[in-house]
Coordinates of all heavy atoms in Angstrom, one line a residue:
N8 N -6.4 -22.4 -59.7 CA -6.5 -23.2 -58.5 C -5.6 -22.7 -57.4 O -4.4 -22.6 -57.7 CB -6.2 -24.7 -58.8 CG -6.4 -25.6 -57.6 OD1 -7.0 -25.2 -56.6 ND2 -6.0 -26.8 -57.7
F9 N -6.1 -22.4 -56.3 CA -5.3 -22.0 -55.1 C -4.6 -23.2 -54.5 O -4.9 -23.5 -53.3 CB -6.1 -21.2 -54.1 CG -6.9 -20.0 -54.7 CD1 -8.2 -19.7 -54.3 CD2 -6.4 -19.3 -55.8 CE1 -8.9 -18.7 -54.8 CE2 -7.1 -18.2 -56.3 CZ -8.4 -17.9 -55.8
S10 N -3.7 -23.8 -55.2 CA -3.0 -25.0 -54.8 C -1.8 -25.2 -55.7 O -1.9 -24.7 -56.9 CB -4.0 -26.2 -54.9 OG -3.3 -27.4 -54.6
P11 N -0.7 -25.8 -55.3 CA -0.5 -26.6 -54.1 C -0.1 -25.7 -52.9 O 0.5 -24.7 -53.1 CB 0.6 -27.5 -54.5 CG 1.4 -26.7 -55.5 CD 0.4 -25.9 -56.3
M12 N -0.4 -26.2 -51.7 CA 0.1 -25.6 -50.5 C 1.4 -26.4 -50.2 O 1.3 -27.6 -49.9 CB -0.9 -25.8 -49.4 CG -0.6 -25.0 -48.1 SD 0.6 -25.7 -47.0 CE -0.4 -26.2 -45.7
V13 N 2.5 -25.7 -50.2 CA 3.8 -26.4 -50.0 C 4.5 -26.0 -48.8 O 5.8 -26.2 -48.7 CB 4.7 -26.1 -51.3 CG1 4.0 -26.6 -52.6 CG2 5.1 -24.6 -51.4
D14 N 3.8 -25.4 -47.8 CA 4.5 -25.0 -46.6 C 5.0 -26.2 -45.8 O 4.3 -27.2 -45.5 CB 3.5 -24.3 -45.7 CG 2.9 -23.1 -46.4 OD1 3.6 -22.4 -47.1 OD2 1.6 -22.8 -46.2
I15 N 6.3 -26.1 -45.4 CA 6.9 -27.1 -44.5 C 6.4 -26.8 -43.1 O 6.4 -25.7 -42.7 CB 8.5 -27.0 -44.6 CG1 9.0 -27.4 -46.0 CG2 9.1 -27.9 -43.5 CD1 8.7 -28.8 -46.4
S16 N 6.0 -27.9 -42.4 CA 5.6 -27.7 -41.0 C 6.2 -28.8 -40.2 O 6.2 -30.0 -40.5 CB 4.1 -27.8 -40.9 OG 3.7 -27.6 -39.6
R17 N 6.7 -28.4 -39.0 CA 7.3 -29.4 -38.0 C 6.6 -29.3 -36.7 O 7.1 -29.6 -35.7 CB 8.8 -29.1 -37.9 CG 9.5 -29.4 -39.2 CD 10.9 -28.9 -39.3 NE 11.5 -29.4 -40.5 CZ 12.7 -29.1 -40.9 NH1 13.5 -28.3 -40.1 NH2 13.3 -29.6 -42.0
D18 N 5.3 -28.7 -36.8 CA 4.6 -28.5 -35.6 C 3.1 -29.1 -35.8 O 2.3 -28.4 -36.4 CB 4.5 -27.0 -35.2 CG 4.0 -26.8 -33.8 OD1 3.2 -27.7 -33.3 OD2 4.3 -25.8 -33.2
P19 N 2.9 -30.3 -35.3 CA 1.5 -30.9 -35.5 C 0.4 -30.1 -34.8 O -0.8 -30.4 -35.1 CB 1.7 -32.3 -35.0 CG 2.8 -32.3 -34.1 CD 3.7 -31.2 -34.6
R20 N 0.7 -29.2 -33.9 CA -0.3 -28.4 -33.3 C -1.0 -27.5 -34.4 O -2.2 -27.2 -34.3 CB 0.2 -27.5 -32.2 CG 0.7 -28.3 -31.0 CD 1.4 -27.4 -30.0 NE 2.6 -26.7 -30.6 CZ 3.4 -25.8 -30.0 NH1 3.1 -25.5 -28.7 NH2 4.4 -25.3 -30.6
W21 N -0.2 -27.1 -35.4 CA -0.7 -26.3 -36.5 C -1.7 -27.1 -37.3 O -1.4 -28.1 -37.9 CB 0.4 -25.8 -37.3 CG 0.1 -24.7 -38.3 CD1 -0.6 -23.6 -38.1 CD2 0.4 -24.7 -39.7 NE1 -0.7 -22.9 -39.3 CE2 -0.1 -23.5 -40.3 CE3 1.1 -25.6 -40.6 CZ2 0.0 -23.2 -41.6 CZ3 1.2 -25.3 -41.9 CH2 0.7 -24.1 -42.4
G22 N -3.0 -26.6 -37.4 CA -4.0 -27.4 -38.1 C -3.7 -27.5 -39.6 O -4.1 -28.6 -40.2
R23 N -3.0 -26.6 -40.2 CA -2.8 -26.6 -41.6 C -1.7 -27.5 -42.0 O -1.4 -27.7 -43.2 CB -2.6 -25.2 -42.2 CG -3.8 -24.3 -41.9 CD -3.8 -23.0 -42.7 NE -4.4 -23.3 -44.0 CZ -4.7 -22.3 -44.9 NH1 -4.5 -21.0 -44.5 NH2 -5.2 -22.6 -46.1
I24 N -1.1 -28.3 -41.1 CA -0.1 -29.3 -41.5 C -0.8 -30.3 -42.4 O -0.2 -31.0 -43.2 CB 0.5 -30.0 -40.2 CG1 1.7 -30.8 -40.6 CG2 -0.5 -30.8 -39.5 CD1 2.5 -31.4 -39.5
S25 N -2.2 -30.4 -42.2 CA -3.0 -31.4 -43.0 C -2.9 -31.1 -44.5 O -3.2 -31.9 -45.3 CB -4.4 -31.4 -42.5 OG -5.0 -30.1 -42.6
E26 N -2.7 -29.8 -44.8 CA -2.8 -29.3 -46.2 C -1.5 -29.5 -47.0 O -1.4 -29.2 -48.2 CB -3.2 -27.9 -46.3 CG -4.6 -27.6 -45.8 CD -5.0 -26.2 -45.9 OE1 -4.7 -25.5 -46.9 OE2 -5.4 -25.6 -44.9
G27 N -0.4 -29.8 -46.3 CA 0.9 -29.9 -47.0 C 1.5 -31.3 -47.0 O 0.8 -32.3 -46.7
A28 N 2.8 -31.3 -47.3 CA 3.5 -32.6 -47.5 C 4.3 -33.0 -46.2 O 4.9 -34.1 -46.2 CB 4.5 -32.5 -48.6
G29 N 4.2 -32.2 -45.1 CA 4.9 -32.6 -43.9 C 6.1 -31.8 -43.6 O 6.2 -30.6 -43.9
E30 N 7.2 -32.4 -43.1 CA 8.3 -31.7 -42.5 C 9.5 -31.6 -43.4 O 10.5 -30.8 -43.0 CB 8.7 -32.4 -41.2 CG 9.4 -33.7 -41.4 CD 9.7 -34.4 -40.1 OE1 8.9 -34.4 -39.2 OE2 10.8 -35.0 -40.0
D31 N 9.6 -32.3 -44.5 CA 10.9 -32.4 -45.2 C 10.9 -31.6 -46.5 O 10.0 -31.7 -47.4 CB 11.2 -33.9 -45.5 CG 12.5 -34.0 -46.2 OD1 13.5 -33.9 -45.4 OD2 12.6 -34.2 -47.4
A32 N 11.9 -30.8 -46.7 CA 12.0 -29.9 -47.9 C 12.3 -30.7 -49.2 O 11.8 -30.3 -50.2 CB 13.2 -28.9 -47.7
Y33 N 13.1 -31.8 -49.1 CA 13.4 -32.6 -50.3 C 12.1 -33.3 -50.8 O 11.7 -33.2 -52.0 CB 14.4 -33.6 -50.0 CG 14.9 -34.5 -51.2 CD1 15.9 -34.1 -52.0 CD2 14.2 -35.7 -51.5 CE1 16.3 -34.8 -53.1 CE2 14.6 -36.4 -52.6 CZ 15.7 -36.0 -53.4 OH 16.1 -36.7 -54.4
L34 N 11.4 -34.0 -50.0 CA 10.1 -34.6 -50.4 C 9.1 -33.6 -50.7 O 8.4 -33.7 -51.7 CB 9.6 -35.5 -49.2 CG 8.3 -36.2 -49.5 CD1 8.4 -37.2 -50.6 CD2 7.8 -37.0 -48.2
G35 N 9.0 -32.5 -50.0 CA 8.1 -31.4 -50.3 C 8.3 -30.8 -51.6 O 7.4 -30.5 -52.3
S36 N 9.6 -30.7 -52.0 CA 9.9 -30.2 -53.4 C 9.4 -31.1 -54.5 O 8.9 -30.7 -55.5 CB 11.4 -29.9 -53.5 OG 11.8 -28.9 -52.6
A37 N 9.6 -32.4 -54.3 CA 9.2 -33.4 -55.3 C 7.7 -33.3 -55.5 O 7.2 -33.4 -56.6 CB 9.6 -34.8 -54.9
I38 N 7.0 -33.2 -54.3 CA 5.5 -33.2 -54.4 C 5.0 -31.9 -55.0 O 4.1 -31.9 -55.8 CB 4.9 -33.4 -53.0 CG1 5.2 -34.9 -52.6 CG2 3.4 -33.1 -53.0 CD1 4.8 -35.2 -51.1
A39 N 5.7 -30.8 -54.7 CA 5.3 -29.5 -55.3 C 5.4 -29.6 -56.8 O 4.5 -29.1 -57.6 CB 6.3 -28.4 -54.8
R40 N 6.5 -30.1 -57.3 CA 6.7 -30.3 -58.8 C 5.6 -31.2 -59.4 O 5.0 -30.8 -60.4 CB 8.0 -30.9 -59.1 CG 9.2 -30.0 -58.9 CD 10.5 -30.6 -59.4 NE 11.0 -31.7 -58.6 CZ 11.8 -31.6 -57.6 NH1 12.3 -30.4 -57.2 NH2 12.2 -32.7 -56.9
A41 N 5.2 -32.2 -58.7 CA 4.2 -33.2 -59.2 C 2.9 -32.5 -59.3 O 2.1 -32.6 -60.3 CB 4.1 -34.4 -58.3
M42 N 2.5 -31.7 -58.3 CA 1.2 -31.0 -58.2 C 1.1 -29.9 -59.3 O 0.1 -29.8 -60.0 CB 1.0 -30.4 -56.9 CG 0.9 -31.4 -55.7 SD -0.6 -32.4 -55.8 CE -1.8 -31.3 -55.3
V43 N 2.2 -29.1 -59.4 CA 2.1 -28.0 -60.4 C 2.0 -28.6 -61.8 O 1.2 -28.1 -62.6 CB 3.4 -27.1 -60.3 CG1 3.5 -26.2 -61.5 CG2 3.3 -26.3 -59.0
T44 N 2.8 -29.6 -62.2 CA 2.8 -30.2 -63.5 C 1.4 -30.9 -63.7 O 0.9 -30.9 -64.9 CB 3.9 -31.1 -63.8 OG1 4.0 -32.1 -62.7 CG2 5.3 -30.4 -63.8
G45 N 0.9 -31.5 -62.7 CA -0.4 -32.1 -62.8 C -1.5 -31.1 -63.1 O -2.4 -31.4 -64.0

């Protein structure tokens, strides 16, 4: 599976912000772990 997409984004103009966890590295890290183990 070509997932998870864990790119941090702080620019909502970028369309692919929809594919990630948002702007925060701490929360993004927790979600990355959850997705990989899932």
Side-chain angles (χ1 to χ4, degrees):
N8 187 11
F9 307 144
S10 175
M12 194 279 254
V13 302
D14 303 319
I15 295 297
S16 180
R17 293 166 175 179
D18 192 335
R20 295 173 299 178
W21 188 51
R23 301 194 81 168
I24 193 173
S25 61
E26 294 178 49
E30 71 184 42
D31 185 74
Y33 183 90
L34 179 61
S36 296
I38 291 173
R40 288 189 290 269
M42 296 293 285
V43 168
T44 55

